[in-house]
PDB file of all heavy atoms in Angstrom:
ATOM      1  N   MET A 503     -41.577 -43.051  -2.152  1.00  0.00           N
ATOM      2  CA  MET A 503     -40.556 -43.208  -3.144  1.00  0.00           C
ATOM      3  C   MET A 503     -39.845 -41.890  -3.374  1.00  0.00           C
ATOM      4  O   MET A 503     -40.477 -40.855  -3.338  1.00  0.00           O
ATOM      5  CB  MET A 503     -41.183 -43.690  -4.474  1.00  0.00           C
ATOM      6  CG  MET A 503     -41.405 -45.205  -4.501  1.00  0.00           C
ATOM      7  SD  MET A 503     -42.139 -45.828  -6.023  1.00  0.00           S
ATOM      8  CE  MET A 503     -41.556 -44.690  -7.237  1.00  0.00           C
ATOM      9  N   SER A 504     -38.591 -41.976  -3.598  1.00  0.00           N
ATOM     10  CA  SER A 504     -37.805 -40.777  -3.817  1.00  0.00           C
ATOM     11  C   SER A 504     -37.959 -40.335  -5.253  1.00  0.00           C
ATOM     12  O   SER A 504     -38.486 -41.071  -6.113  1.00  0.00           O
ATOM     13  CB  SER A 504     -36.324 -41.042  -3.509  1.00  0.00           C
ATOM     14  OG  SER A 504     -35.797 -41.946  -4.443  1.00  0.00           O
ATOM     15  N   THR A 505     -37.490 -39.120  -5.580  1.00  0.00           N
ATOM     16  CA  THR A 505     -37.585 -38.593  -6.938  1.00  0.00           C
ATOM     17  C   THR A 505     -36.790 -39.430  -7.886  1.00  0.00           C
ATOM     18  O   THR A 505     -37.220 -39.680  -9.027  1.00  0.00           O
ATOM     19  CB  THR A 505     -37.073 -37.144  -6.945  1.00  0.00           C
ATOM     20  OG1 THR A 505     -37.785 -36.399  -5.949  1.00  0.00           O
ATOM     21  CG2 THR A 505     -37.311 -36.503  -8.297  1.00  0.00           C
ATOM     22  N   TYR A 506     -35.639 -39.950  -7.428  1.00  0.00           N
ATOM     23  CA  TYR A 506     -34.787 -40.758  -8.292  1.00  0.00           C
ATOM     24  C   TYR A 506     -35.482 -42.040  -8.698  1.00  0.00           C
ATOM     25  O   TYR A 506     -35.505 -42.486  -9.856  1.00  0.00           O
ATOM     26  CB  TYR A 506     -33.482 -41.045  -7.565  1.00  0.00           C
ATOM     27  CG  TYR A 506     -32.567 -41.994  -8.356  1.00  0.00           C
ATOM     28  CD1 TYR A 506     -31.854 -41.491  -9.472  1.00  0.00           C
ATOM     29  CD2 TYR A 506     -32.435 -43.310  -7.996  1.00  0.00           C
ATOM     30  CE1 TYR A 506     -30.983 -42.340 -10.143  1.00  0.00           C
ATOM     31  CE2 TYR A 506     -31.579 -44.131  -8.687  1.00  0.00           C
ATOM     32  CZ  TYR A 506     -30.875 -43.655  -9.786  1.00  0.00           C
ATOM     33  OH  TYR A 506     -30.023 -44.478 -10.475  1.00  0.00           O
ATOM     34  N   GLU A 507     -36.160 -42.678  -7.709  1.00  0.00           N
ATOM     35  CA  GLU A 507     -36.856 -43.959  -8.018  1.00  0.00           C
ATOM     36  C   GLU A 507     -38.029 -43.691  -8.923  1.00  0.00           C
ATOM     37  O   GLU A 507     -38.288 -44.499  -9.823  1.00  0.00           O
ATOM     38  CB  GLU A 507     -37.347 -44.577  -6.725  1.00  0.00           C
ATOM     39  CG  GLU A 507     -36.185 -45.194  -5.890  1.00  0.00           C
ATOM     40  CD  GLU A 507     -36.685 -45.647  -4.531  1.00  0.00           C
ATOM     41  OE1 GLU A 507     -37.721 -45.150  -4.030  1.00  0.00           O
ATOM     42  OE2 GLU A 507     -36.029 -46.566  -3.956  1.00  0.00           O
ATOM     43  N   GLU A 508     -38.760 -42.616  -8.716  1.00  0.00           N
ATOM     44  CA  GLU A 508     -39.861 -42.288  -9.597  1.00  0.00           C
ATOM     45  C   GLU A 508     -39.375 -42.043 -11.023  1.00  0.00           C
ATOM     46  O   GLU A 508     -40.037 -42.488 -11.987  1.00  0.00           O
ATOM     47  CB  GLU A 508     -40.614 -41.042  -9.078  1.00  0.00           C
ATOM     48  CG  GLU A 508     -41.383 -41.301  -7.794  1.00  0.00           C
ATOM     49  CD  GLU A 508     -42.009 -40.047  -7.260  1.00  0.00           C
ATOM     50  OE1 GLU A 508     -41.814 -38.965  -7.882  1.00  0.00           O
ATOM     51  OE2 GLU A 508     -42.729 -40.134  -6.252  1.00  0.00           O
ATOM     52  N   PHE A 509     -38.243 -41.363 -11.166  1.00  0.00           N
ATOM     53  CA  PHE A 509     -37.699 -41.110 -12.477  1.00  0.00           C
ATOM     54  C   PHE A 509     -37.329 -42.402 -13.204  1.00  0.00           C
ATOM     55  O   PHE A 509     -37.593 -42.575 -14.407  1.00  0.00           O
ATOM     56  CB  PHE A 509     -36.458 -40.201 -12.365  1.00  0.00           C
ATOM     57  CG  PHE A 509     -35.727 -40.012 -13.649  1.00  0.00           C
ATOM     58  CD1 PHE A 509     -36.256 -39.128 -14.613  1.00  0.00           C
ATOM     59  CD2 PHE A 509     -34.533 -40.635 -13.923  1.00  0.00           C
ATOM     60  CE1 PHE A 509     -35.614 -38.952 -15.807  1.00  0.00           C
ATOM     61  CE2 PHE A 509     -33.878 -40.436 -15.111  1.00  0.00           C
ATOM     62  CZ  PHE A 509     -34.400 -39.602 -16.067  1.00  0.00           C
ATOM     63  N   ILE A 510     -36.727 -43.356 -12.476  1.00  0.00           N
ATOM     64  CA  ILE A 510     -36.373 -44.618 -13.070  1.00  0.00           C
ATOM     65  C   ILE A 510     -37.597 -45.402 -13.495  1.00  0.00           C
ATOM     66  O   ILE A 510     -37.649 -45.975 -14.583  1.00  0.00           O
ATOM     67  CB  ILE A 510     -35.540 -45.439 -12.034  1.00  0.00           C
ATOM     68  CG1 ILE A 510     -34.213 -44.761 -11.753  1.00  0.00           C
ATOM     69  CG2 ILE A 510     -35.295 -46.850 -12.570  1.00  0.00           C
ATOM     70  CD1 ILE A 510     -33.286 -44.602 -12.947  1.00  0.00           C
ATOM     71  N   VAL A 511     -38.658 -45.385 -12.697  1.00  0.00           N
ATOM     72  CA  VAL A 511     -39.881 -46.087 -13.018  1.00  0.00           C
ATOM     73  C   VAL A 511     -40.536 -45.507 -14.238  1.00  0.00           C
ATOM     74  O   VAL A 511     -40.913 -46.228 -15.199  1.00  0.00           O
ATOM     75  CB  VAL A 511     -40.848 -46.047 -11.824  1.00  0.00           C
ATOM     76  CG1 VAL A 511     -42.215 -46.616 -12.244  1.00  0.00           C
ATOM     77  CG2 VAL A 511     -40.311 -46.895 -10.673  1.00  0.00           C
ATOM     78  N   ILE A 512     -40.630 -44.196 -14.320  1.00  0.00           N
ATOM     79  CA  ILE A 512     -41.190 -43.491 -15.484  1.00  0.00           C
ATOM     80  C   ILE A 512     -40.389 -43.791 -16.699  1.00  0.00           C
ATOM     81  O   ILE A 512     -40.919 -44.058 -17.802  1.00  0.00           O
ATOM     82  CB  ILE A 512     -41.290 -41.990 -15.215  1.00  0.00           C
ATOM     83  CG1 ILE A 512     -42.339 -41.696 -14.109  1.00  0.00           C
ATOM     84  CG2 ILE A 512     -41.679 -41.220 -16.482  1.00  0.00           C
ATOM     85  CD1 ILE A 512     -42.325 -40.319 -13.596  1.00  0.00           C
ATOM     86  N   LEU A 513     -39.057 -43.766 -16.605  1.00  0.00           N
ATOM     87  CA  LEU A 513     -38.172 -43.982 -17.729  1.00  0.00           C
ATOM     88  C   LEU A 513     -38.356 -45.412 -18.246  1.00  0.00           C
ATOM     89  O   LEU A 513     -38.441 -45.681 -19.470  1.00  0.00           O
ATOM     90  CB  LEU A 513     -36.738 -43.739 -17.325  1.00  0.00           C
ATOM     91  CG  LEU A 513     -35.701 -43.803 -18.455  1.00  0.00           C
ATOM     92  CD1 LEU A 513     -35.953 -42.681 -19.434  1.00  0.00           C
ATOM     93  CD2 LEU A 513     -34.331 -43.710 -17.890  1.00  0.00           C
ATOM     94  N   THR A 514     -38.442 -46.362 -17.319  1.00  0.00           N
ATOM     95  CA  THR A 514     -38.618 -47.779 -17.716  1.00  0.00           C
ATOM     96  C   THR A 514     -39.949 -47.986 -18.412  1.00  0.00           C
ATOM     97  O   THR A 514     -39.998 -48.654 -19.469  1.00  0.00           O
ATOM     98  CB  THR A 514     -38.556 -48.685 -16.465  1.00  0.00           C
ATOM     99  OG1 THR A 514     -37.288 -48.430 -15.807  1.00  0.00           O
ATOM    100  CG2 THR A 514     -38.640 -50.158 -16.865  1.00  0.00           C
ATOM    101  N   VAL A 515     -41.017 -47.423 -17.896  1.00  0.00           N
ATOM    102  CA  VAL A 515     -42.332 -47.558 -18.539  1.00  0.00           C
ATOM    103  C   VAL A 515     -42.313 -46.909 -19.915  1.00  0.00           C
ATOM    104  O   VAL A 515     -42.859 -47.492 -20.878  1.00  0.00           O
ATOM    105  CB  VAL A 515     -43.411 -46.908 -17.641  1.00  0.00           C
ATOM    106  CG1 VAL A 515     -44.733 -46.901 -18.355  1.00  0.00           C
ATOM    107  CG2 VAL A 515     -43.516 -47.701 -16.318  1.00  0.00           C
ATOM    108  N   ALA A 516     -41.690 -45.754 -20.042  1.00  0.00           N
ATOM    109  CA  ALA A 516     -41.654 -45.063 -21.330  1.00  0.00           C
ATOM    110  C   ALA A 516     -40.908 -45.900 -22.372  1.00  0.00           C
ATOM    111  O   ALA A 516     -41.330 -46.018 -23.493  1.00  0.00           O
ATOM    112  CB  ALA A 516     -40.997 -43.691 -21.141  1.00  0.00           C
ATOM    113  N   LEU A 517     -39.786 -46.502 -21.943  1.00  0.00           N
ATOM    114  CA  LEU A 517     -38.999 -47.332 -22.860  1.00  0.00           C
ATOM    115  C   LEU A 517     -39.848 -48.555 -23.293  1.00  0.00           C
ATOM    116  O   LEU A 517     -39.762 -48.963 -24.469  1.00  0.00           O
ATOM    117  CB  LEU A 517     -37.678 -47.793 -22.178  1.00  0.00           C
ATOM    118  CG  LEU A 517     -36.613 -46.669 -22.050  1.00  0.00           C
ATOM    119  CD1 LEU A 517     -35.478 -47.171 -21.224  1.00  0.00           C
ATOM    120  CD2 LEU A 517     -36.136 -46.234 -23.446  1.00  0.00           C
ATOM    121  N   LEU A 518     -40.559 -49.131 -22.342  1.00  0.00           N
ATOM    122  CA  LEU A 518     -41.380 -50.315 -22.709  1.00  0.00           C
ATOM    123  C   LEU A 518     -42.462 -49.921 -23.723  1.00  0.00           C
ATOM    124  O   LEU A 518     -42.696 -50.657 -24.685  1.00  0.00           O
ATOM    125  CB  LEU A 518     -42.056 -50.872 -21.415  1.00  0.00           C
ATOM    126  CG  LEU A 518     -41.165 -51.745 -20.558  1.00  0.00           C
ATOM    127  CD1 LEU A 518     -41.896 -52.072 -19.251  1.00  0.00           C
ATOM    128  CD2 LEU A 518     -40.798 -53.024 -21.285  1.00  0.00           C
ATOM    129  N   ILE A 519     -43.097 -48.765 -23.510  1.00  0.00           N
ATOM    130  CA  ILE A 519     -44.142 -48.320 -24.437  1.00  0.00           C
ATOM    131  C   ILE A 519     -43.547 -48.077 -25.819  1.00  0.00           C
ATOM    132  O   ILE A 519     -44.094 -48.508 -26.851  1.00  0.00           O
ATOM    133  CB  ILE A 519     -44.790 -47.042 -23.903  1.00  0.00           C
ATOM    134  CG1 ILE A 519     -45.608 -47.348 -22.641  1.00  0.00           C
ATOM    135  CG2 ILE A 519     -45.727 -46.422 -24.965  1.00  0.00           C
ATOM    136  CD1 ILE A 519     -46.132 -46.132 -21.916  1.00  0.00           C
ATOM    137  N   VAL A 520     -42.382 -47.432 -25.883  1.00  0.00           N
ATOM    138  CA  VAL A 520     -41.758 -47.182 -27.178  1.00  0.00           C
ATOM    139  C   VAL A 520     -41.402 -48.471 -27.874  1.00  0.00           C
ATOM    140  O   VAL A 520     -41.604 -48.652 -29.066  1.00  0.00           O
ATOM    141  CB  VAL A 520     -40.491 -46.300 -26.992  1.00  0.00           C
ATOM    142  CG1 VAL A 520     -39.684 -46.224 -28.249  1.00  0.00           C
ATOM    143  CG2 VAL A 520     -40.902 -44.906 -26.512  1.00  0.00           C
ATOM    144  N   ALA A 521     -40.858 -49.436 -27.106  1.00  0.00           N
ATOM    145  CA  ALA A 521     -40.451 -50.714 -27.683  1.00  0.00           C
ATOM    146  C   ALA A 521     -41.690 -51.472 -28.228  1.00  0.00           C
ATOM    147  O   ALA A 521     -41.654 -52.082 -29.292  1.00  0.00           O
ATOM    148  CB  ALA A 521     -39.750 -51.560 -26.636  1.00  0.00           C
ATOM    149  N   ILE A 522     -42.788 -51.441 -27.480  1.00  0.00           N
ATOM    150  CA  ILE A 522     -44.013 -52.114 -27.910  1.00  0.00           C
ATOM    151  C   ILE A 522     -44.562 -51.463 -29.179  1.00  0.00           C
ATOM    152  O   ILE A 522     -44.935 -52.154 -30.110  1.00  0.00           O
ATOM    153  CB  ILE A 522     -45.048 -52.137 -26.763  1.00  0.00           C
ATOM    154  CG1 ILE A 522     -44.549 -53.036 -25.641  1.00  0.00           C
ATOM    155  CG2 ILE A 522     -46.403 -52.597 -27.278  1.00  0.00           C
ATOM    156  CD1 ILE A 522     -45.366 -52.900 -24.342  1.00  0.00           C
ATOM    157  N   LEU A 523     -44.562 -50.115 -29.190  1.00  0.00           N
ATOM    158  CA  LEU A 523     -45.102 -49.444 -30.374  1.00  0.00           C
ATOM    159  C   LEU A 523     -44.253 -49.731 -31.592  1.00  0.00           C
ATOM    160  O   LEU A 523     -44.757 -49.947 -32.662  1.00  0.00           O
ATOM    161  CB  LEU A 523     -45.149 -47.937 -30.098  1.00  0.00           C
ATOM    162  CG  LEU A 523     -46.233 -47.474 -29.130  1.00  0.00           C
ATOM    163  CD1 LEU A 523     -46.098 -45.988 -28.874  1.00  0.00           C
ATOM    164  CD2 LEU A 523     -47.608 -47.763 -29.695  1.00  0.00           C
ATOM    165  N   ASN A 524     -42.908 -49.739 -31.430  1.00  0.00           N
ATOM    166  CA  ASN A 524     -42.037 -50.053 -32.560  1.00  0.00           C
ATOM    167  C   ASN A 524     -42.279 -51.485 -33.056  1.00  0.00           C
ATOM    168  O   ASN A 524     -42.284 -51.731 -34.256  1.00  0.00           O
ATOM    169  CB  ASN A 524     -40.577 -49.873 -32.139  1.00  0.00           C
ATOM    170  CG  ASN A 524     -40.162 -48.424 -32.028  1.00  0.00           C
ATOM    171  OD1 ASN A 524     -40.753 -47.578 -32.698  1.00  0.00           O
ATOM    172  ND2 ASN A 524     -39.170 -48.120 -31.254  1.00  0.00           N
ATOM    173  N   TYR A 525     -42.469 -52.401 -32.160  1.00  0.00           N
ATOM    174  CA  TYR A 525     -42.731 -53.818 -32.518  1.00  0.00           C
ATOM    175  C   TYR A 525     -44.029 -53.942 -33.280  1.00  0.00           C
ATOM    176  O   TYR A 525     -44.115 -54.623 -34.308  1.00  0.00           O
ATOM    177  CB  TYR A 525     -42.744 -54.693 -31.265  1.00  0.00           C
ATOM    178  CG  TYR A 525     -43.084 -56.114 -31.590  1.00  0.00           C
ATOM    179  CD1 TYR A 525     -42.131 -56.966 -32.150  1.00  0.00           C
ATOM    180  CD2 TYR A 525     -44.365 -56.611 -31.329  1.00  0.00           C
ATOM    181  CE1 TYR A 525     -42.467 -58.257 -32.444  1.00  0.00           C
ATOM    182  CE2 TYR A 525     -44.712 -57.929 -31.619  1.00  0.00           C
ATOM    183  CZ  TYR A 525     -43.721 -58.772 -32.186  1.00  0.00           C
ATOM    184  OH  TYR A 525     -44.037 -60.051 -32.476  1.00  0.00           O
ATOM    185  N   ILE A 526     -45.077 -53.207 -32.849  1.00  0.00           N
ATOM    186  CA  ILE A 526     -46.365 -53.268 -33.516  1.00  0.00           C
ATOM    187  C   ILE A 526     -46.225 -52.667 -34.920  1.00  0.00           C
ATOM    188  O   ILE A 526     -46.747 -53.214 -35.875  1.00  0.00           O
ATOM    189  CB  ILE A 526     -47.422 -52.499 -32.672  1.00  0.00           C
ATOM    190  CG1 ILE A 526     -47.703 -53.268 -31.380  1.00  0.00           C
ATOM    191  CG2 ILE A 526     -48.693 -52.317 -33.512  1.00  0.00           C
ATOM    192  CD1 ILE A 526     -48.591 -52.531 -30.428  1.00  0.00           C
ATOM    193  N   LYS A 527     -45.527 -51.558 -35.071  1.00  0.00           N
ATOM    194  CA  LYS A 527     -45.362 -50.919 -36.371  1.00  0.00           C
ATOM    195  C   LYS A 527     -44.640 -51.874 -37.318  1.00  0.00           C
ATOM    196  O   LYS A 527     -45.019 -52.012 -38.475  1.00  0.00           O
ATOM    197  CB  LYS A 527     -44.575 -49.630 -36.248  1.00  0.00           C
ATOM    198  CG  LYS A 527     -45.439 -48.515 -35.620  1.00  0.00           C
ATOM    199  CD  LYS A 527     -44.614 -47.250 -35.520  1.00  0.00           C
ATOM    200  CE  LYS A 527     -45.405 -46.095 -34.879  1.00  0.00           C
ATOM    201  NZ  LYS A 527     -44.612 -44.883 -34.745  1.00  0.00           N
ATOM    202  N   LYS A 528     -43.559 -52.520 -36.838  1.00  0.00           N
ATOM    203  CA  LYS A 528     -42.800 -53.450 -37.690  1.00  0.00           C
ATOM    204  C   LYS A 528     -43.693 -54.669 -38.028  1.00  0.00           C
ATOM    205  O   LYS A 528     -43.628 -55.169 -39.167  1.00  0.00           O
ATOM    206  CB  LYS A 528     -41.546 -53.917 -36.971  1.00  0.00           C
ATOM    207  CG  LYS A 528     -40.506 -52.837 -36.834  1.00  0.00           C
ATOM    208  CD  LYS A 528     -39.283 -53.310 -36.074  1.00  0.00           C
ATOM    209  CE  LYS A 528     -38.255 -52.214 -35.951  1.00  0.00           C
ATOM    210  NZ  LYS A 528     -37.096 -52.680 -35.162  1.00  0.00           N
ATOM    211  N   ALA A 529     -44.474 -55.182 -37.084  1.00  0.00           N
ATOM    212  CA  ALA A 529     -45.308 -56.328 -37.322  1.00  0.00           C
ATOM    213  C   ALA A 529     -46.394 -56.015 -38.368  1.00  0.00           C
ATOM    214  O   ALA A 529     -46.725 -56.835 -39.179  1.00  0.00           O
ATOM    215  CB  ALA A 529     -45.916 -56.795 -36.025  1.00  0.00           C
ATOM    216  N   VAL A 530     -46.927 -54.772 -38.315  1.00  0.00           N
ATOM    217  CA  VAL A 530     -47.964 -54.392 -39.258  1.00  0.00           C
ATOM    218  C   VAL A 530     -47.397 -54.180 -40.641  1.00  0.00           C
ATOM    219  O   VAL A 530     -47.938 -54.679 -41.643  1.00  0.00           O
ATOM    220  CB  VAL A 530     -48.657 -53.127 -38.781  1.00  0.00           C
ATOM    221  CG1 VAL A 530     -49.601 -52.570 -39.876  1.00  0.00           C
ATOM    222  CG2 VAL A 530     -49.464 -53.408 -37.512  1.00  0.00           C
ATOM    223  N   SER A 531     -46.234 -53.551 -40.745  1.00  0.00           N
ATOM    224  CA  SER A 531     -45.664 -53.241 -42.045  1.00  0.00           C
ATOM    225  C   SER A 531     -45.079 -54.495 -42.677  1.00  0.00           C
ATOM    226  O   SER A 531     -45.273 -54.739 -43.871  1.00  0.00           O
ATOM    227  CB  SER A 531     -44.540 -52.173 -41.907  1.00  0.00           C
ATOM    228  OG  SER A 531     -43.514 -52.670 -41.059  1.00  0.00           O
ATOM    229  N   LYS A 532     -44.328 -55.317 -41.915  1.00  0.00           N
ATOM    230  CA  LYS A 532     -43.756 -56.568 -42.446  1.00  0.00           C
ATOM    231  C   LYS A 532     -44.034 -57.683 -41.456  1.00  0.00           C
ATOM    232  O   LYS A 532     -43.222 -57.964 -40.612  1.00  0.00           O
ATOM    233  CB  LYS A 532     -42.254 -56.359 -42.647  1.00  0.00           C
ATOM    234  CG  LYS A 532     -41.870 -55.329 -43.681  1.00  0.00           C
ATOM    235  CD  LYS A 532     -40.387 -55.222 -43.814  1.00  0.00           C
ATOM    236  CE  LYS A 532     -40.004 -54.198 -44.895  1.00  0.00           C
ATOM    237  NZ  LYS A 532     -38.552 -54.044 -45.005  1.00  0.00           N
ATOM    238  N   PRO A 533     -45.187 -58.338 -41.578  1.00  0.00           N
ATOM    239  CA  PRO A 533     -45.505 -59.401 -40.643  1.00  0.00           C
ATOM    240  C   PRO A 533     -44.621 -60.631 -40.861  1.00  0.00           C
ATOM    241  O   PRO A 533     -44.460 -61.067 -41.984  1.00  0.00           O
ATOM    242  CB  PRO A 533     -46.948 -59.739 -40.945  1.00  0.00           C
ATOM    243  CG  PRO A 533     -47.169 -59.261 -42.325  1.00  0.00           C
ATOM    244  CD  PRO A 533     -46.223 -58.072 -42.552  1.00  0.00           C
ATOM    245  N   PRO A 534     -44.059 -61.174 -39.812  1.00  0.00           N
ATOM    246  CA  PRO A 534     -43.223 -62.407 -39.955  1.00  0.00           C
ATOM    247  C   PRO A 534     -44.074 -63.569 -40.365  1.00  0.00           C
ATOM    248  O   PRO A 534     -45.300 -63.608 -40.162  1.00  0.00           O
ATOM    249  CB  PRO A 534     -42.670 -62.582 -38.522  1.00  0.00           C
ATOM    250  CG  PRO A 534     -42.870 -61.314 -37.817  1.00  0.00           C
ATOM    251  CD  PRO A 534     -44.051 -60.639 -38.461  1.00  0.00           C
ATOM    252  N   CYS A 535     -43.461 -64.584 -40.971  1.00  0.00           N
ATOM    253  CA  CYS A 535     -44.172 -65.739 -41.444  1.00  0.00           C
ATOM    254  C   CYS A 535     -44.864 -66.473 -40.296  1.00  0.00           C
ATOM    255  O   CYS A 535     -45.974 -66.971 -40.459  1.00  0.00           O
ATOM    256  CB  CYS A 535     -43.213 -66.728 -42.123  1.00  0.00           C
ATOM    257  SG  CYS A 535     -42.525 -66.046 -43.651  1.00  0.00           S
ATOM    258  N   SER A 536     -44.250 -66.501 -39.131  1.00  0.00           N
ATOM    259  CA  SER A 536     -44.848 -67.181 -37.990  1.00  0.00           C
ATOM    260  C   SER A 536     -46.151 -66.540 -37.569  1.00  0.00           C
ATOM    261  O   SER A 536     -47.128 -67.244 -37.278  1.00  0.00           O
ATOM    262  CB  SER A 536     -43.888 -67.210 -36.790  1.00  0.00           C
ATOM    263  OG  SER A 536     -43.578 -65.877 -36.425  1.00  0.00           O
ATOM    264  N   LEU A 537     -46.212 -65.207 -37.584  1.00  0.00           N
ATOM    265  CA  LEU A 537     -47.452 -64.530 -37.212  1.00  0.00           C
ATOM    266  C   LEU A 537     -48.539 -64.804 -38.222  1.00  0.00           C
ATOM    267  O   LEU A 537     -49.700 -65.061 -37.884  1.00  0.00           O
ATOM    268  CB  LEU A 537     -47.201 -63.039 -37.103  1.00  0.00           C
ATOM    269  CG  LEU A 537     -46.518 -62.541 -35.849  1.00  0.00           C
ATOM    270  CD1 LEU A 537     -46.278 -61.031 -35.896  1.00  0.00           C
ATOM    271  CD2 LEU A 537     -47.325 -62.841 -34.593  1.00  0.00           C
ATOM    272  N   VAL A 538     -48.183 -64.810 -39.515  1.00  0.00           N
ATOM    273  CA  VAL A 538     -49.180 -65.074 -40.556  1.00  0.00           C
ATOM    274  C   VAL A 538     -49.730 -66.500 -40.408  1.00  0.00           C
ATOM    275  O   VAL A 538     -50.906 -66.722 -40.513  1.00  0.00           O
ATOM    276  CB  VAL A 538     -48.528 -64.852 -41.959  1.00  0.00           C
ATOM    277  CG1 VAL A 538     -49.519 -65.270 -43.047  1.00  0.00           C
ATOM    278  CG2 VAL A 538     -48.124 -63.398 -42.111  1.00  0.00           C
ATOM    279  N   LYS A 539     -48.851 -67.448 -40.192  1.00  0.00           N
ATOM    280  CA  LYS A 539     -49.297 -68.851 -40.034  1.00  0.00           C
ATOM    281  C   LYS A 539     -50.222 -68.973 -38.822  1.00  0.00           C
ATOM    282  O   LYS A 539     -51.216 -69.694 -38.857  1.00  0.00           O
ATOM    283  CB  LYS A 539     -48.094 -69.782 -39.852  1.00  0.00           C
ATOM    284  CG  LYS A 539     -47.275 -69.923 -41.138  1.00  0.00           C
ATOM    285  CD  LYS A 539     -46.088 -70.826 -40.927  1.00  0.00           C
ATOM    286  CE  LYS A 539     -45.258 -70.963 -42.217  1.00  0.00           C
ATOM    287  NZ  LYS A 539     -44.040 -71.728 -42.016  1.00  0.00           N
ATOM    288  N   ASN A 540     -49.869 -68.301 -37.707  1.00  0.00           N
ATOM    289  CA  ASN A 540     -50.697 -68.417 -36.478  1.00  0.00           C
ATOM    290  C   ASN A 540     -52.074 -67.785 -36.753  1.00  0.00           C
ATOM    291  O   ASN A 540     -53.066 -68.313 -36.302  1.00  0.00           O
ATOM    292  CB  ASN A 540     -50.011 -67.669 -35.344  1.00  0.00           C
ATOM    293  CG  ASN A 540     -48.809 -68.436 -34.818  1.00  0.00           C
ATOM    294  OD1 ASN A 540     -48.711 -69.636 -35.005  1.00  0.00           O
ATOM    295  ND2 ASN A 540     -47.870 -67.735 -34.185  1.00  0.00           N
ATOM    296  N   ARG A 541     -52.137 -66.692 -37.504  1.00  0.00           N
ATOM    297  CA  ARG A 541     -53.399 -66.051 -37.756  1.00  0.00           C
ATOM    298  C   ARG A 541     -54.285 -66.967 -38.667  1.00  0.00           C
ATOM    299  O   ARG A 541     -55.474 -67.021 -38.514  1.00  0.00           O
ATOM    300  CB  ARG A 541     -53.172 -64.726 -38.490  1.00  0.00           C
ATOM    301  CG  ARG A 541     -52.656 -63.646 -37.534  1.00  0.00           C
ATOM    302  CD  ARG A 541     -52.419 -62.341 -38.243  1.00  0.00           C
ATOM    303  NE  ARG A 541     -51.805 -61.352 -37.376  1.00  0.00           N
ATOM    304  CZ  ARG A 541     -51.235 -60.211 -37.826  1.00  0.00           C
ATOM    305  NH1 ARG A 541     -51.211 -59.941 -39.111  1.00  0.00           N
ATOM    306  NH2 ARG A 541     -50.715 -59.367 -36.988  1.00  0.00           N
ATOM    307  N   ARG A 542     -53.658 -67.673 -39.591  1.00  0.00           N
ATOM    308  CA  ARG A 542     -54.420 -68.548 -40.485  1.00  0.00           C
ATOM    309  C   ARG A 542     -54.963 -69.757 -39.704  1.00  0.00           C
ATOM    310  O   ARG A 542     -56.040 -70.255 -40.012  1.00  0.00           O
ATOM    311  CB  ARG A 542     -53.513 -69.023 -41.642  1.00  0.00           C
ATOM    312  CG  ARG A 542     -53.255 -67.946 -42.636  1.00  0.00           C
ATOM    313  CD  ARG A 542     -52.301 -68.422 -43.757  1.00  0.00           C
ATOM    314  NE  ARG A 542     -52.020 -67.362 -44.714  1.00  0.00           N
ATOM    315  CZ  ARG A 542     -51.112 -67.461 -45.661  1.00  0.00           C
ATOM    316  NH1 ARG A 542     -50.392 -68.545 -45.798  1.00  0.00           N
ATOM    317  NH2 ARG A 542     -50.907 -66.447 -46.518  1.00  0.00           N
ATOM    318  N   LEU A 543     -54.201 -70.221 -38.732  1.00  0.00           N
ATOM    319  CA  LEU A 543     -54.612 -71.392 -37.986  1.00  0.00           C
ATOM    320  C   LEU A 543     -55.762 -71.058 -37.071  1.00  0.00           C
ATOM    321  O   LEU A 543     -56.681 -71.867 -36.906  1.00  0.00           O
ATOM    322  CB  LEU A 543     -53.452 -71.930 -37.147  1.00  0.00           C
ATOM    323  CG  LEU A 543     -52.337 -72.645 -37.962  1.00  0.00           C
ATOM    324  CD1 LEU A 543     -51.197 -73.011 -37.042  1.00  0.00           C
ATOM    325  CD2 LEU A 543     -52.916 -73.895 -38.628  1.00  0.00           C
ATOM    326  N   THR A 544     -55.769 -69.858 -36.485  1.00  0.00           N
ATOM    327  CA  THR A 544     -56.815 -69.546 -35.516  1.00  0.00           C
ATOM    328  C   THR A 544     -58.117 -69.140 -36.202  1.00  0.00           C
ATOM    329  O   THR A 544     -58.107 -68.718 -37.307  1.00  0.00           O
ATOM    330  CB  THR A 544     -56.362 -68.365 -34.598  1.00  0.00           C
ATOM    331  OG1 THR A 544     -55.887 -67.292 -35.447  1.00  0.00           O
ATOM    332  CG2 THR A 544     -55.223 -68.821 -33.678  1.00  0.00           C
TER     333      THR A 544
END
């Protein structure tokens, strides 16, 4: 793989990690009704 391809892969993985962490923080601080209902059912 070339340096450019490696940079794109690293950038994509980093963006995915940031997006997942932001989603988890939002879900913990303000859980949506659907998540709460699913947790109560299980």
Side-chain angles (χ1 to χ4, degrees):
M503 278 179 31
S504 66
T505 307
Y506 176 75
E507 287 173 336
E508 289 176 358
F509 174 75
I510 295 296
V511 170
I512 292 169
L513 186 65
T514 304
V515 172
L517 286 172
L518 280 173
I519 292 170
V520 169
I522 291 169
L523 287 175
N524 285 335
Y525 176 77
I526 291 172
K527 286 180 181 178
K528 289 179 181 178
V530 169
S531 61
K532 295 181 180 178
C535 294
S536 59
L537 282 177
V538 174
K539 290 178 182 176
N540 287 338
R541 285 178 186 167
R542 287 178 182 170
L543 288 175
T544 52

